Amino acid sequence: MLQEHEGWKQVQAAWAQYKEAVAAGGNPQALYQEMVWPHLLALWRVAPPVVPERMPFRASLHTLGTSPEATALAILGTGAREVYVLHTEESRRFLERLRQDTGVDIYPIEIGKSDVAAIYREVRRLLERYPEDPVALDVTSGTKAMSAGLAAAGFFFRRFFPKVKVVYVDNEDYDVALRRPRAGSERLIVLPDPHEVGGEVDWLFASELYGKEDFVGAAAYFQRLVGNTGNQAYTLYGMLAELYRAWRALDFKEAARKAESLLEALSRNVWLQHPLNRHFQRLRRQAELLQAARDLLATADLGNRQGVLAVAATLLYLSERYGKRGQTTLAALHAYRALELLLQERLRRFGRLAEAPRLSPEEAEALAAELGRILPGDEPPRVRERLGLLEVLAFLRVLGDPLLASLEVRALQGLAGVLKARNQALLVHGLQVPTEKQVEQVAALARRLLQDLQGEVGVQPDLEAIPLPR
Amino acid sequence: MLQEHEGWKQVQAAWAQYKEAVAAGGNPQALYQEMVWPHLLALWRVAPPVVPERMPFRASLHTLGTSPEATALAILGTGAREVYVLHTEESRRFLERLRQDTGVDIYPIEIGKSDVAAIYREVRRLLERYPEDPVALDVTSGTKAMSAGLAAAGFFFRRFFPKVKVVYVDNEDYDVALRRPRAGSERLIVLPDPHEVGGEVDWLFASELYGKEDFVGAAAYFQRLVGNTGNQAYTLYGMLAELYRAWRALDFKEAARKAESLLEALSRNVWLQHPLNRHFQRLRRQAELLQAARDLLATADLGNRQGVLAVAATLLYLSERYGKRGQTTLAALHAYRALELLLQERLRRFGRLAEAPRLSPEEAEALAAELGRILPGDEPPRVRERLGLLEVLAFLRVLGDPLLASLEVRALQGLAGVLKARNQALLVHGLQVPTEKQVEQVAALARRLLQDLQGEVGVQPDLEAIPLPR
C-alpha cells in the first residue's frame, strides 16, 4: 500500500507544513518547490503510483508544456531508460530542470506547438526503433494539439505496435484554495484500450472480418463475445458466420446444419426480437438451397434440380471470387466443374449418365460426327466409355437438347480447346495453367445453363451473406 | 478571408478596448464577459474559423471541464445539429451557460472525471447512432483523462466509422499579461489522421497485409507508396508481394518473372543498400525454384526433378494452408495433385508415363494382382489404358520402386479407398466431399515422397515469404 510507504508519509507531512506556511503569507510557488517537491520526487523515484500497475517500459515519449512537474512525475512513473521529450521553443527552458529532477538523460526533440504532423512522425520513428518493446506515450503536458496528437498517434499505431501505451498523470484530489493537486494524490494512469474496457468492441472487429468474408475470423470474435459479455445473442451471429464459412468451403452438410440451427433458434420466443429475425425469410430460402445441395451430395441424384442449381451457383460464385483475386487456376477449376455439373443434369433429363452413357451404335456414330464438326481438322475423336465435358456437350446436341442445339458451331469451336484441356490442368492431372480468357469462356456457358435451370426450377439463388446490423 | 469579415473587425476593436479597460484597473474576468465574449460568439455563429475547412458534421460530442468558453466555440465551430456534452458533477453548472451561448439544445451526459470506460461507451453509442455521418469528437475541455480518452476513442473507432473526426479549439496568439488567448485568434482544428499526414504510414498497412499473406492488398499499398512518396524503393517491395501472389496462385511463370526482375533490380548499384538485399541469397534460391517449376510447366518434362519438387512442394504447402482455414475440399484437391505428380515423376524414372504406360501382358497381370492385394474383397479391378492414382502406385510397386515397394500392404489398404475416390470429388467429376482425415492420409504419403525427392535433388525448398524489415 502506497499509504504505508515511508516516503508517502513524508509527503503528507510536508504538504501539511506547506499549507501552514502559505496560510502564514509565504509565496505559494517558491514554498512548494522548497518544502514539498523534493519529497514528492523522492517518493516517485522509489515507488511511483501507477494505475493499474507498474509496467516495464523500454522507452517513453513526453510532450512538454509549461508545467514540467507533471512531466517529471510521468518520466519517473514510466521508469523507461530511453526518454524522449517533445518540447516547443517556449518549453525548451524546462529541459534542464527535468534532467535534474528525474536524474534521467533526456533526449529532446523540438517541434512547433501545433505541429501534429511532427508528432506523428516522431512517434512512428520511436516505435520503429523499439517495435517489440513496451513504449509509453505521455500526454500530460503540452498544448492541446500536442497531447491530442500524441494520443491519436498512440491509438492509431497500436494496430501495428501492440505494446504501445498512452499514459498521463492525474490527481485524485485538487486543492482549490492552493490551485494545485494535493501532493501525494498524483497517479500515473495507463490509459486502457477501448478494446480492453468494453468487451462489446469485439463486435466491431467481428463485423469488419464478416464484411471482408473472413468468416473463420468473425466466428472466433463472436465466440469471444459470448464469453466476455455472457450475451447468448452473439451465438446466433456465430452460427451465421459458420454457415457461410462452411458454404464457401463447399461443406454443404455443415452449412445446412448451421442454417437449420439458426432458423430454429430465431423461432424461439427468446430470440423473436433478435436483429437477424428481420432476415428470417431470406435465411429460410438460403437454408432450403443448402438443404437441396446437401441432398444432392448425399444421394448423387441429378434429378434433384434445385440441388444442382445450388451447387452450380455456388461453384460459379466462387469461380468469380477466385478470379477477382488473381487465382486463375482455382477460378478455372470451379467454372469447369459448374459447367460439367449443369451438363450432367441436362443429360440426366434424357435418362443418360456421363460415366455410363450406353450409346447405341447410331448414337456413337452421330456423336463422333458432331465432335468432328466442333473439332474440324483434328483427327476424328475416339468416343470413350465415359463422356468428358466436350463429349457430353456434343452428345446433348445429338440428343436435341434445345439450349445446346441452338448454339452455333462456330461459338463451340472456340470453346472446344478449353474443354479438351481440362484434364491437363495443373490441379487435375496435367501441368497446364488456364488463362483468364479461357476461364471466362467456360464460365459464360455455365452461366447461360444456370440461368436456364433457374427458370425451370423457379428459384433465383441468393448466395450473398446476410448483412449484419450496425 | 476571416480578417475581412465584419464580425472579426468588431472582435478586434472589442479586444483593444478591453485591454485598455483592464489596464485601467477593471476586473479582467467580468470585463471580458461583457466587452469581448458577445462579439466573439457573434463571429463564431456566422463564420467560425475552422482548419483546414468547415465540415458538415451531423453530431458532435464534447468534454466539458471548467472552461465552458472554449467548448461553446467548439460547438459553434462544428455546427452539428445533435450536440452531446460529457460533463462531470463539477462542470454540470456550465451547461445552462453553454446552451445560452450557443443557442443549441445540448444533450448532457454525466460521467466521473476519470471514467475513461464511460467515455468509450458513450462514443461508441453515438457512433452507432450515426454510423454513416460525420461526427466530431471535441477534446478541448475537461480533465486529461477525459480528453485523452476521447482522442483515444476517436482514433480507435475510426477504423470502423471512418467519418469520425477529433477536433479541438486552439489559439494562435496567447496574451501572456492577460493570461488568455487573444480574442479572434481561436481556431477549431480538425485533427488530421496519421494516415493523411505521413504518406509512409501506408507502409504499416502494407506490412500488415503482407504478414497476413494478403499479397494482392499489400502490392496495392506498395504501389500507392511509390506514388505518394516518390520513392522507387517501394517498387521492389511491390515486386516481392506480386511474386508471392503469383506463386500462391500457381502462376509460376509470372512468379519467376517477378523474382527475376527483383533480383535484377537488387543487383543494380542504386539498390545495393536496399533492405531486401540482406535476403538476396534466399531470394535467389526461391527464384531458382520458381524457374524450375516454370520450366516443368512449359515442357511437361517430368525428368526435371527440381521442377517437380518445386510444384509438389507448393501444392502441399497450399493444401496445408487450405486445411487450416477449414477448406477441406481444396486441401484434398491440392494434396491429391501433389501425390499424383510425385508418383508420375517416379514412374518416369522407369521410362513410363501414367497416361500411356505401355504395359506388357505380364506387367498388366502383375498390376492386377497387386491391385487385388491392396483392394481385397473388391471385384478384381480392370486395368485401364491410362493409370489413375492408385494404379500408378501399385504399378510402381510392381516395377520395384524402392520407397513404394517398402510400404506395407496394410497401410496402403487404408489409403486405397481415398485414392479411388479422387475422381468422385466435388471439384473433380463427382459429388463427394473428403474428410480431414482422408486429406491427411493423402498428404502424409505425398510428404514422404517429397522428402525422398528432396534428398535426391539436394534441395530443401523454401516457400515462406521473405520477412519485411520493420
Side-chain angles (χ1 to χ4, degrees):
Chain A
M1 276 293 286
L2 178 68
Q3 279 73 6
E4 287 158 13
H5 197 282
E6 194 51 43
W8 193 80
K9 289 176 189 163
Q10 284 173 13
V11 168
Q12 299 309 302
W15 178 253
Q17 287 164 14
Y18 164 67
K19 287 193 74 159
E20 280 173 31
V22 172
N27 176 327
Q29 192 58 25
L31 284 175
Y32 182 86
Q33 289 302 328
E34 186 188 315
M35 298 178 70
V36 181
W37 184 237
H39 295 286
L40 200 55
L41 274 181
L43 172 64
W44 277 66
R45 279 209 181 102
V46 292
V50 183
V51 177
E53 60 185 350
R54 288 179 77 177
M55 296 180 191
F57 289 110
R58 169 79 189 275
S60 62
L61 180 67
H62 308 261
T63 46
L64 179 62
T66 50
S67 55
E69 285 99 344
T71 302
L73 297 184
I75 289 171
L76 295 173
T78 57
R81 274 167 297 159
E82 310 288 330
V83 177
Y84 299 81
V85 171
L86 297 170
H87 64 90
T88 60
E89 198 181 343
E90 194 190 1
S91 64
R92 179 177 178 168
R93 63 199 157 101
F94 297 117
L95 286 170
E96 195 43 43
R97 165 84 194 277
L98 218 47
R99 285 197 184 96
Q100 284 169 11
D101 281 352
T102 60
V104 172
D105 183 24
I106 286 159
Y107 190 93
I109 301 166
E110 181 165 332
I111 59 167
K113 79 183 177 77
S114 300
D115 191 353
V116 175
I119 292 174
Y120 294 164
R121 190 180 59 233
E122 295 302 332
V123 171
R124 193 185 154 204
R125 197 174 290 177
L126 181 66
L127 294 177
E128 289 185 340
R129 198 172 300 150
Y130 308 102
E132 307 295 343
D133 298 310
V135 172
L137 305 180
D138 162 39
V139 302
T140 308
S141 181
T143 63
K144 248 337 156 194
M146 287 165 75
S147 51
L150 192 57
F155 279 86
F156 179 81
F157 288 115
R158 271 207 59 139
R159 173 168 180 174
F160 311 106
F161 304 94
K163 290 190 176 172
V164 63
K165 298 277 185 193
V166 174
V167 306
Y168 60 94
V169 172
D170 206 352
N171 59 278
E172 294 186 342
D173 200 355
Y174 194 82
D175 192 304
V176 179
L178 289 166
R179 297 195 62 180
R180 60 163 69 245
R182 181 176 59 71
S185 78
E186 301 88 349
R187 301 281 180 274
L188 182 77
I189 311 285
V190 180
L191 201 64
D193 199 280
H195 203 166
E196 295 156 11
V197 169
E200 302 205 359
V201 169
D202 280 341
W203 166 264
L204 298 172
F205 285 103
S207 308
E208 187 182 61
L209 293 171
Y210 186 96
K212 288 180 184 166
E213 302 242 314
D214 177 352
F215 298 117
V216 178
Y221 268 109
F222 288 129
Q223 197 51 47
R224 261 181 53 166
L225 274 163
V226 177
N228 290 349
T229 66
N231 187 344
Q232 288 294 331
Y234 293 116
T235 311
L236 278 62
Y237 293 112
M239 289 177 190
L240 188 71
E242 282 167 14
L243 183 171
Y244 293 115
R245 201 260 334 136
W247 193 345
R248 272 38 166 175
L250 296 170
D251 187 349
F252 293 103
K253 197 168 152 191
E254 177 69 8
R257 183 160 45 213
K258 289 289 173 197
E260 287 160 3
S261 305
L262 180 55
L263 289 173
E264 193 270 323
L266 286 171
S267 306
R268 296 213 306 265
N269 270 329
V270 55
W271 299 128
L272 287 183
Q273 298 303 315
H274 195 288
L276 285 178
N277 248 323
R278 273 185 293 150
H279 302 284
F280 190 87
Q281 293 308 325
R282 247 188 98 183
L283 274 170
R284 204 171 46 74
R285 285 192 298 273
Q286 294 196 338
E288 285 166 7
L289 211 59
L290 291 168
Q291 287 158 344
R294 175 199 60 197
D295 294 346
L296 173 66
L297 267 53
T299 63
D301 172 14
L302 291 167
N304 174 356
R305 287 195 193 176
Q306 188 164 349
V308 172
L309 178 63
V311 175
T314 302
L315 290 167
L316 270 176
Y317 178 86
L318 293 176
S319 173
E320 200 173 315
R321 286 217 351 229
Y322 285 119
K324 278 186 189 151
R325 297 290 289 174
Q327 296 263 38
T328 315
T329 300
L330 285 180
L333 192 80
H334 286 77
Y336 274 132
R337 186 65 191 106
L339 178 59
E340 186 183 48
L341 180 59
L342 289 162
L343 290 172
Q344 286 168 338
E345 187 276 319
R346 293 184 91 89
L347 196 59
R348 161 78 175 51
R349 300 186 198 178
F350 294 94
R352 303 301 183 93
L353 290 173
E355 60 268 34
R358 295 180 288 106
L359 301 184
S360 68
E362 297 75 28
E363 284 173 343
E365 199 175 315
L367 174 54
E370 181 64 23
L371 286 170
R373 266 190 293 281
I374 297 175
L375 294 165
D378 279 34
E379 61 184 292
R382 272 192 310 153
V383 175
R384 284 172 297 133
E385 54 190 310
R386 33 173 99 173
L387 303 182
L389 209 39
L390 184 60
E391 287 94 6
V392 175
L393 194 157
F395 188 42
L396 279 166
R397 286 166 66 87
V398 169
L399 290 171
D401 179 288
L403 195 156
L404 290 162
S406 75
L407 299 177
E408 288 199 32
V409 170
R410 290 183 71 87
L412 292 176
Q413 284 170 345
L415 193 62
V418 188
L419 298 188
K420 267 180 70 186
R422 182 194 185 192
N423 274 338
Q424 289 314 310
L426 181 54
L427 278 172
V428 185
H429 301 295
L431 295 167
Q432 293 184 11
V433 176
T435 66
E436 279 176 49
K437 197 184 147 209
Q438 289 174 325
V439 177
E440 181 45 33
Q441 282 182 294
V442 176
L445 180 55
R447 279 196 299 269
R448 196 154 162 194
L449 297 182
L450 186 73
Q451 211 158 25
D452 190 64
L453 186 59
Q454 281 174 24
E456 302 219 4
V457 177
V459 167
Q460 178 85 22
D462 166 20
L463 284 79
E464 295 296 331
I466 300 276
L468 296 182
R470 292 218 53 155
Chain B
M1 275 292 287
L2 178 69
Q3 278 74 3
E4 288 159 15
H5 198 280
E6 195 51 44
W8 192 80
K9 290 176 188 164
Q10 285 173 11
V11 168
Q12 299 309 303
W15 178 252
Q17 287 163 14
Y18 163 68
K19 285 193 75 161
E20 281 174 30
V22 173
N27 175 329
Q29 194 58 24
L31 285 175
Y32 183 86
Q33 289 302 328
E34 187 187 313
M35 298 178 70
V36 181
W37 185 238
H39 294 288
L40 200 54
L41 274 181
L43 172 64
W44 278 66
R45 279 210 180 102
V46 292
V50 183
V51 178
E53 60 185 349
R54 289 180 76 175
M55 295 179 191
F57 289 110
R58 170 80 190 275
S60 62
L61 179 68
H62 308 261
T63 46
L64 179 60
T66 50
S67 56
E69 286 98 343
T71 303
L73 297 184
I75 290 171
L76 294 172
T78 58
R81 274 168 296 160
E82 311 287 331
V83 177
Y84 300 81
V85 171
L86 297 170
H87 65 89
T88 61
E89 200 181 341
E90 194 190 359
S91 64
R92 178 175 180 169
R93 63 199 157 102
F94 298 117
L95 286 170
E96 193 45 42
R97 165 83 197 278
L98 219 46
R99 285 198 185 95
Q100 284 170 9
D101 280 351
T102 60
V104 171
D105 183 24
I106 285 159
Y107 190 91
I109 301 166
E110 183 165 330
I111 59 166
K113 80 182 175 76
S114 301
D115 190 353
V116 174
I119 292 174
Y120 294 164
R121 190 180 59 235
E122 295 302 334
V123 171
R124 191 181 157 208
R125 196 174 290 175
L126 181 66
L127 294 178
E128 288 184 340
R129 197 173 300 150
Y130 308 103
E132 308 294 344
D133 297 311
V135 172
L137 306 179
D138 162 39
V139 302
T140 307
S141 180
T143 63
K144 246 340 154 191
M146 287 164 76
S147 52
L150 192 57
F155 278 86
F156 178 82
F157 289 117
R158 268 207 61 139
R159 175 167 179 174
F160 310 106
F161 304 96
K163 290 191 178 172
V164 63
K165 298 277 183 193
V166 173
V167 307
Y168 61 95
V169 172
D170 206 352
N171 58 279
E172 294 186 343
D173 199 354
Y174 194 82
D175 192 306
V176 180
L178 290 166
R179 297 194 62 180
R180 59 163 70 245
R182 181 176 59 74
S185 78
E186 301 89 349
R187 301 281 180 275
L188 182 78
I189 312 284
V190 181
L191 201 63
D193 200 280
H195 203 164
E196 295 155 10
V197 169
E200 301 204 358
V201 169
D202 280 341
W203 167 264
L204 298 171
F205 285 104
S207 307
E208 187 182 65
L209 292 171
Y210 186 96
K212 289 180 183 166
E213 302 241 313
D214 178 350
F215 298 116
V216 179
Y221 269 110
F222 288 128
Q223 197 52 48
R224 257 180 55 167
L225 274 164
V226 178
N228 291 349
T229 67
N231 186 343
Q232 288 294 331
Y234 294 116
T235 311
L236 278 63
Y237 292 112
M239 288 177 191
L240 188 71
E242 281 166 16
L243 184 171
Y244 294 116
R245 200 259 338 133
W247 193 344
R248 273 39 166 172
L250 296 171
D251 188 349
F252 293 102
K253 196 167 150 192
E254 176 70 8
R257 183 159 43 211
K258 289 289 173 198
E260 286 160 3
S261 304
L262 181 54
L263 288 174
E264 194 270 323
L266 287 172
S267 306
R268 296 213 303 264
N269 269 329
V270 54
W271 298 129
L272 287 184
Q273 297 303 315
H274 195 288
L276 285 179
N277 248 323
R278 274 186 293 149
H279 303 284
F280 190 86
Q281 293 309 323
R282 248 189 97 184
L283 273 169
R284 205 172 45 75
R285 286 193 298 273
Q286 294 196 337
E288 286 166 5
L289 211 60
L290 290 168
Q291 287 159 343
R294 175 199 59 197
D295 294 346
L296 173 67
L297 267 54
T299 63
D301 171 14
L302 291 167
N304 174 356
R305 288 197 193 175
Q306 186 163 350
V308 172
L309 178 64
V311 174
T314 302
L315 290 167
L316 271 175
Y317 178 86
L318 293 175
S319 173
E320 198 174 314
R321 286 215 357 227
Y322 285 119
K324 278 187 189 150
R325 297 291 291 175
Q327 296 263 38
T328 315
T329 298
L330 284 181
L333 192 78
H334 287 75
Y336 274 132
R337 186 66 190 104
L339 178 59
E340 186 181 47
L341 180 60
L342 290 162
L343 290 172
Q344 286 169 340
E345 186 275 319
R346 295 184 89 87
L347 195 59
R348 160 79 174 50
R349 300 186 198 178
F350 293 93
R352 303 300 184 93
L353 291 172
E355 59 268 36
R358 295 180 288 105
L359 301 185
S360 69
E362 296 76 28
E363 284 172 344
E365 201 175 311
L367 174 54
E370 181 63 24
L371 286 168
R373 267 191 292 280
I374 297 174
L375 294 165
D378 280 35
E379 59 182 296
R382 271 191 312 152
V383 175
R384 284 172 297 135
E385 54 189 310
R386 34 173 99 173
L387 303 183
L389 209 41
L390 184 60
E391 287 94 5
V392 175
L393 193 156
F395 188 42
L396 280 166
R397 286 165 66 86
V398 169
L399 291 171
D401 178 290
L403 196 156
L404 290 162
S406 75
L407 299 177
E408 287 198 31
V409 170
R410 290 183 70 87
L412 290 176
Q413 285 172 346
L415 192 63
V418 188
L419 298 188
K420 268 180 68 188
R422 184 195 185 190
N423 273 338
Q424 290 314 310
L426 181 54
L427 279 173
V428 185
H429 301 295
L431 295 165
Q432 292 184 13
V433 176
T435 64
E436 279 177 48
K437 198 182 145 211
Q438 289 174 325
V439 177
E440 180 45 32
Q441 282 181 294
V442 176
L445 181 55
R447 278 196 300 268
R448 196 154 162 194
L449 297 181
L450 185 73
Q451 212 157 25
D452 190 64
L453 185 60
Q454 280 174 25
E456 303 220 5
V457 176
V459 169
Q460 178 85 25
D462 165 20
L463 284 78
E464 295 297 330
I466 299 278
L468 297 182
R470 291 217 58 152

